[in-house]
């Protein structure tokens, strides 16, 4: 749920990048951090292991600017993708407003993508939420892999109903990074307007 | 859904702000913050003599996550939570108390402040803030998220990431 702080005149949104291990969630945040002008971004905080795998989360606050005298801010988080870090993933989902699900295009990660989406559904349910209630989009990352699965196949597995927006990406080259973030931001705004 | 971050508006905010100043003065702490468990800063004050604090966004996120992680550890052992959350370095310490089930009061102090004093005045401030919050229920202002607001926010997003293709 979006948080409004009347005393500081701020509206805060929490966007979480979810997905299986090594799908490129942290890379998305790093690329966003590199591309955003200094005044609009805060520090990029990474709680990672020595081999640069996310241990708890990465965090990047973005300041969009003011609307009607209220600062609008997006807080971007990643979760650790590895299966055994589920407790951490669950904690980061607290108060989530929107999700970018980062899928890996490698053929041997198709099952991991599907399991991660199922895990997201399970973890949301612990907060009394369902996937239908939370705005989310899917980024199909690593499209430059020589053996990348067709996007349509990944889409069929993750969203057979075809209701969700999918975006092809090569996050490491900053291709398809901003589009899913913009799309989920728009969905979050629409969601807020409907519910407020 | 839009969720207000505590019932802190107008007069109740002024009262809490004054209490935070009082806490700083009496405990000799450097900074006090109210942080919600989603990692957002709700209110913060700094002692006049204290240096510029580190990024409050980073601080709030790390404190809220740390608190949640500790709570999860406590639950693994069948506890409802740990009674105290204190961190002490060579130069800086941090004391965290629950305000309610959505927010924390955080006191950061250096070696000039005694931990016992920080704890005593932080606990007292928690009780006083809880009283203010319980008296201010239902004061929440409303905000209109109409099409104009949506369009203006979309324009900001376009401004930051470039227009939609």
């Amino acid at each position: 749920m979006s948080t409004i702080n009347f005393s500081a005149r701020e509206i805060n949104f929490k966007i979480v990048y979810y997905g299986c291990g090594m799908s490129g969630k942290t890379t998305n945040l790093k690329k966003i951090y590199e591309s955003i002008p200094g005044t609009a971004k805060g520090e990029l905080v990474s709680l990672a292991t020595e081999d640069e795998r996310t241990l708890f989360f990465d965090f990047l606050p973005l300041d969009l600017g003011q609307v009607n005298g209220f600062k609008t801010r997006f807080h971007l988080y990643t979760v650790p993708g590895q299966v055994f870090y589920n407790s951490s993933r669950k904690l980061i989902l607290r108060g989530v407003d929107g999700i970018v699900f980062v899928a890996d295009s490698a053929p041997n990660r198709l099952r991991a993508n599907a399991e991660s989406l199922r895990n997201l559904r399970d973890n949301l349910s612990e907060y009394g939420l369902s996937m239908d209630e939370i705005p989310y989009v899917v980024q199909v990352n690593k499209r430059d892999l020589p053996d990348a699965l067709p996007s349509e196949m990944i889409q069929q597995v993750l969203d057979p109903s075809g209701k969700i927006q999918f975006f092809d990406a090569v996050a490491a080259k900053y291709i398809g990074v901003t589009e899913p973030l913009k799309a989920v931001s728009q969905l979050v705004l629409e969601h807020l307007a409907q519910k407020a | 859904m839009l969720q207000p971050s505590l019932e802190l508006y107008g007069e109740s905010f002024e009262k809490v702000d004054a209490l935070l100043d009082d806490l700083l003065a009496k405990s000799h702490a450097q900074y006090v913050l109210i942080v919600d468990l989603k990692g957002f800063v709700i209110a913060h004050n700094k002692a006049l003599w204290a240096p510029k604090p580190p990024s409050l966004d980073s601080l709030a996120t790390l404190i809220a996550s740390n608190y949640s992680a500790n709570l999860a550890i406590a639950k693994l052992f069948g506890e409802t939570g740990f009674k105290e959350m204190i961190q002490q370095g060579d130069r800086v310490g941090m004391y965290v108390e629950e305000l309610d089930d959505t927010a924390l009061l955080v006191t950061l102090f250096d070696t000039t402040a005694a931990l016992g004093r920080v704890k005593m005045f932080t606990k007292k401030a928690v009780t006083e803030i809880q009283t203010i919050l319980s008296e201010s229920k239902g004061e929440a202002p409303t905000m209109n998220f109409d099409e104009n607001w949506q369009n203006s926010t979309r324009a900001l997003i376009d401004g930051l990431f470039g227009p939609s293709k």
Side-chain angles (χ1 to χ4, degrees):
Chain A
M1 286 187 285
S2 324
T3 302
I4 188 159
N5 184 338
F6 282 97
S7 46
R9 302 188 71 77
E10 283 177 1
I11 301 171
N12 295 302
F13 299 97
K14 182 171 182 176
I15 309 285
V16 174
Y17 282 73
Y18 210 94
C20 63
M22 301 292 279
S23 62
K25 301 173 290 296
T26 300
T27 305
N28 267 275
L29 249 63
K30 283 183 177 169
K31 291 295 170 186
I32 292 165
Y33 180 77
E34 286 167 14
S35 68
I36 297 288
T39 51
K41 67 186 174 191
E43 285 175 8
L44 174 62
V45 175
S46 281
L47 301 186
T49 60
E50 278 179 11
D51 54 351
E52 296 197 359
R53 303 292 299 272
T54 303
L55 176 66
F56 199 171
F57 60 84
D58 306 298
F59 166 69
L60 175 62
L62 296 179
D63 265 319
L64 266 69
Q66 287 206 10
V67 180
N68 299 342
F70 276 75
K71 268 193 264 178
T72 305
R73 315 181 73 226
F74 280 81
H75 283 191
L76 310 184
Y77 287 80
T78 67
V79 296
Q82 294 173 88
V83 174
F84 45 87
Y85 288 141
N86 193 44
S87 304
S88 306
R89 276 195 294 279
K90 216 180 294 178
L91 294 179
I92 301 305
L93 283 175
R94 180 180 188 133
V96 64
D97 292 302
I99 294 164
V100 177
F101 185 87
V102 182
D104 193 323
S105 295
N108 62 356
R109 300 301 283 162
L110 187 59
R111 179 189 283 258
N113 290 330
E115 280 170 1
S116 179
L117 190 66
R118 192 178 315 125
N119 172 256
L120 169 61
R121 194 172 289 126
D122 291 346
N123 282 339
L124 283 174
S125 73
E126 297 219 7
Y127 290 102
L129 296 168
S130 79
M131 297 290 283
D132 296 333
E133 292 170 273
I134 294 287
Y136 83 98
V137 300
V138 177
Q139 179 195 56
V140 186
N141 195 21
K142 304 188 190 177
R143 297 309 300 153
D144 58 341
L145 288 177
D147 57 348
L149 290 172
S151 294
E152 297 73 24
M153 183 188 288
I154 296 170
Q155 191 163 354
Q156 270 299 318
V157 171
L158 299 182
D159 178 38
S161 65
K163 287 182 190 164
I164 303 302
Q165 296 180 61
F166 275 65
F167 298 88
D168 281 353
V170 185
K173 294 179 182 166
Y174 196 52
I175 297 167
V177 169
T178 57
E179 290 81 356
L181 178 56
K182 282 184 69 176
V184 80
S185 306
Q186 310 279 22
L187 293 175
V188 167
L189 297 181
E190 286 165 22
H191 192 69
L192 173 61
Q194 283 166 14
K195 299 273 181 180
Chain B
M1 191 193 295
L2 189 72
Q3 190 183 54
S5 48
L6 289 183
E7 301 277 338
L8 263 187
Y9 321 103
E11 197 187 337
S12 54
F13 176 76
E14 302 293 330
K15 285 183 191 168
V16 169
D17 195 46
L19 271 176
L20 295 184
D21 272 340
D22 195 47
L23 170 58
L24 277 176
K26 287 179 175 160
S27 68
H28 303 162
Q30 289 184 305
Y31 318 102
V32 289
L33 295 99
I34 298 178
V35 170
D36 87 359
L37 289 184
K38 289 185 263 174
F40 298 117
V41 180
I42 296 171
H44 63 93
N45 280 7
K46 159 186 170 307
L48 283 174
W49 52 270
K52 187 173 178 279
S55 158
L56 294 181
D57 285 330
S58 303
L59 204 52
T61 292
L62 290 167
I63 290 168
S65 305
N66 189 27
Y67 171 84
S68 299
N70 276 304
L71 192 64
I73 294 168
K75 284 182 176 169
L76 289 178
F77 292 97
E79 294 278 351
T80 52
F82 290 130
K83 295 217 184 303
E84 289 198 325
M85 193 165 140
I86 302 168
Q87 316 287 338
Q88 279 193 286
D90 288 336
R91 292 175 297 109
V92 178
M94 180 176 79
Y95 181 62
V96 179
E97 275 279 341
E98 280 177 32
L99 268 181
D100 63 10
D101 55 359
T102 64
L104 306 168
L105 177 61
V106 183
T107 309
L108 288 139
F109 53 97
D110 68 4
T111 48
T112 60
L115 175 60
R117 192 178 180 90
V118 168
K119 282 170 66 173
M120 182 176 76
F121 285 106
T122 304
K123 282 178 191 291
K124 187 168 171 278
V126 165
T127 310
E128 290 168 339
I129 292 170
Q130 284 168 340
T131 306
I132 293 170
L133 292 175
S134 66
E135 288 169 354
S136 68
K137 295 282 180 207
E139 281 178 17
T142 54
M143 199 170 161
N144 190 11
F145 296 98
D146 56 12
E147 211 175 315
N148 273 344
W149 178 82
Q150 280 191 63
N151 289 337
S152 302
T153 309
R154 275 195 197 106
L156 289 178
I157 294 171
D158 281 345
L160 198 57
F161 299 115
S164 299
K165 288 164 192 159

